[in-house]
């Protein structure tokens, strides 16, 4: 099963689809995608994201991105409120980003928010979706201190080094690979993917960001996850179908509330010739 494990359906460029999200999801279906995880970065948009989950095969997370400085949480009450929805299968996107936020005050606010996400996830039995950039040591320190290795999570859109990936694996985390792996500048990431065990990997688009080659520079969308998966399969030297089987198994092992039987179906019936 092909799964886009991290996309932002509320941010997609729908102009090519006459502003019809279902048509964009159908395009993904035609490329083999059978489940989608629509990621929250702003709790003010959760009601919209939950609307997407009315379509079979679409799930949601609830969380606040570390760069959403005005929305960073200081307790977990709202997370718990949204996580009560059965289609919310993960907490996040949360984490630390010191690349765009340089001040210690901003870092402290991110750490507090991240801590509450980690604690809520562990108590609710949900995995955590972690964004980390230029904050490797603090990210792993907080995961080890406040995270629950039994529910674990994923380092999404991974671009760090093998040492961090290995540290995350020791906490039972998955490593999610995005279209960045197809970029010419991603030599170190390609080598990390080659070295990581297949049991640790999943794939994503992070749409509408980071479209894979040959679509780089365009708006990303869930259908392109098939090209990320093919690239990772080639790096690992395995068949595409074997990569799909392994990554789906990995995803459902950690994201236990995603039912493998609940899969996308076409929302719009189109004639085929």
């Amino acid at each position: 099963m092909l799964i886009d494990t991290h996309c932002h359906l509320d941010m997609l460029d729908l102009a090519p689809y006459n502003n019809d999200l279902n048509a964009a999801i159908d395009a993904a279906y035609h490329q083999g995608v059978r489940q989608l995880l629509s990621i929250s970065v702003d709790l003010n948009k959760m009601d919209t994201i939950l609307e997407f989950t009315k379509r079979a095969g679409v799930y949601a997370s609830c969380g606040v991105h570390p760069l959403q400085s005005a929305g960073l949480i200081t307790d977990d009450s709202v997370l718990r409120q949204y996580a009560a929805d059965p289609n919310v299968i993960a907490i996040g996107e949360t984490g630390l980003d010191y690349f765009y936020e340089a001040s210690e005050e901003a870092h402290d606010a991110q750490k507090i928010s991240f801590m509450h996400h980690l604690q809520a996830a562990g108590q609710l039995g949900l995995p955590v979706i972690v964004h980390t950039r230029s904050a490797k040591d603090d990210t792993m320190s907080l995961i080890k201190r406040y995270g629950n290795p039994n529910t674990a999570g994923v380092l999404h859109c991974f671009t760090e080094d093998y040492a961090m990936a290995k540290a995350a694996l020791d906490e039972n985390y998955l490593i999610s690979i995005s279209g960045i792996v197809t970029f010419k500048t991603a030599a170190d990431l390609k080598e990390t993917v080659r070295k990581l065990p297949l049991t640790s990997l999943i794939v994503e688009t992070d749409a509408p960001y980071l479209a894979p080659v040959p679509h780089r520079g365009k708006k990303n969308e869930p259908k392109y996850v098939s090209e990320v998966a093919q690239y990772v399969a080639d790096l690992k030297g395995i068949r595409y179908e074997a990569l799909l089987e392994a990554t789906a198994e990995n995803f459902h092992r950690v994201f236990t509330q995603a039912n493998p039987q609940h899969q996308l179906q076409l929302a719009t019936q189109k004639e085929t010739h």
Side-chain angles (χ1 to χ4, degrees):
M1 182 194 302
L2 179 58
I3 306 169
D4 187 353
T5 66
H6 192 113
C7 59
H8 302 280
L9 294 183
D10 57 320
M11 302 181 192
L12 296 186
D13 177 10
L14 298 176
Y17 299 101
N18 294 317
N19 294 315
D20 182 357
L21 177 61
N22 278 321
I25 295 175
D26 281 353
Y29 177 91
H30 285 298
Q31 291 300 314
V33 178
R34 293 297 179 265
Q35 289 187 331
L36 298 168
L37 179 49
S38 186
I39 304 298
S40 162
V41 296
D42 180 350
L43 291 176
N44 292 320
K45 297 181 178 180
M46 271 304 301
D47 290 337
T48 297
I49 292 171
L50 289 176
E51 281 292 312
F52 304 150
T53 67
K54 292 180 178 179
R55 180 166 176 173
V58 180
Y59 290 100
S61 72
C62 65
V64 183
H65 192 284
L67 295 178
Q68 292 283 339
S69 56
L72 293 174
I73 62 172
T74 55
D75 66 67
D76 63 11
S77 57
V78 181
L79 288 178
R80 289 177 175 273
Q81 172 190 331
Y82 283 117
D85 188 296
N87 289 317
V88 172
I89 64 169
I91 299 296
E93 175 177 359
T94 180
L96 304 175
D97 192 315
Y98 296 171
F99 184 82
Y100 288 108
E101 289 282 11
S103 75
E104 286 299 320
E105 182 180 6
H107 294 177
D108 288 344
Q110 289 184 12
K111 289 176 187 176
I112 291 169
S113 184
F114 188 24
M115 175 192 72
H116 285 297
H117 282 79
L118 288 166
Q119 290 179 323
Q123 293 164 7
L124 294 169
L126 295 174
V128 186
I129 298 164
V130 177
H131 167 106
T132 180
R133 191 168 185 190
S134 300
K136 177 169 58 177
D137 291 343
D138 283 351
T139 297
M140 291 312 305
S141 176
L142 288 169
I143 286 174
K144 291 176 182 178
R145 182 173 180 182
Y146 297 107
N148 181 345
N150 294 321
T151 52
V154 56
L155 298 188
H156 108 90
C157 195
F158 189 77
T159 57
E160 300 291 343
D161 57 21
Y162 177 77
M164 185 179 191
K166 181 62 171 61
L169 265 57
D170 290 343
E171 299 299 315
N172 291 327
Y173 272 63
L174 296 173
I175 306 299
S176 186
I177 306 301
S178 72
I180 290 175
V181 76
T182 69
F183 298 175
K184 290 181 179 179
T185 54
D188 290 345
L189 178 58
K190 296 179 206 293
E191 186 57 31
T192 294
V193 170
R194 291 188 185 99
K195 291 167 66 176
L196 286 170
L198 188 57
T199 53
S200 71
L201 296 174
I202 55 177
V203 290
E204 65 169 90
T205 59
D206 202 14
Y209 311 108
L210 303 171
V213 174
H215 310 287
R216 190 175 183 186
K218 301 177 182 178
K219 294 289 187 180
N220 204 358
E221 54 180 292
K223 72 178 183 181
Y224 294 146
V225 74
S226 62
E227 298 182 48
V228 178
Q230 181 66 69
Y231 199 92
V232 172
D234 292 343
L235 285 174
K236 301 296 287 181
I238 63 174
R239 294 180 302 108
Y240 178 73
E241 293 78 12
L243 189 281
L244 298 195
E245 181 179 356
T247 53
E249 181 178 337
N250 297 341
F251 178 79
H252 290 118
R253 184 180 72 246
V254 173
F255 293 79
T256 57
Q257 292 194 21
N259 186 337
Q261 304 305 315
H262 292 173
Q263 299 186 24
L264 292 175
Q265 303 295 327
L266 285 178
T268 57
Q269 297 300 320
K270 300 174 184 177
E271 292 184 5
T272 57
H273 300 280

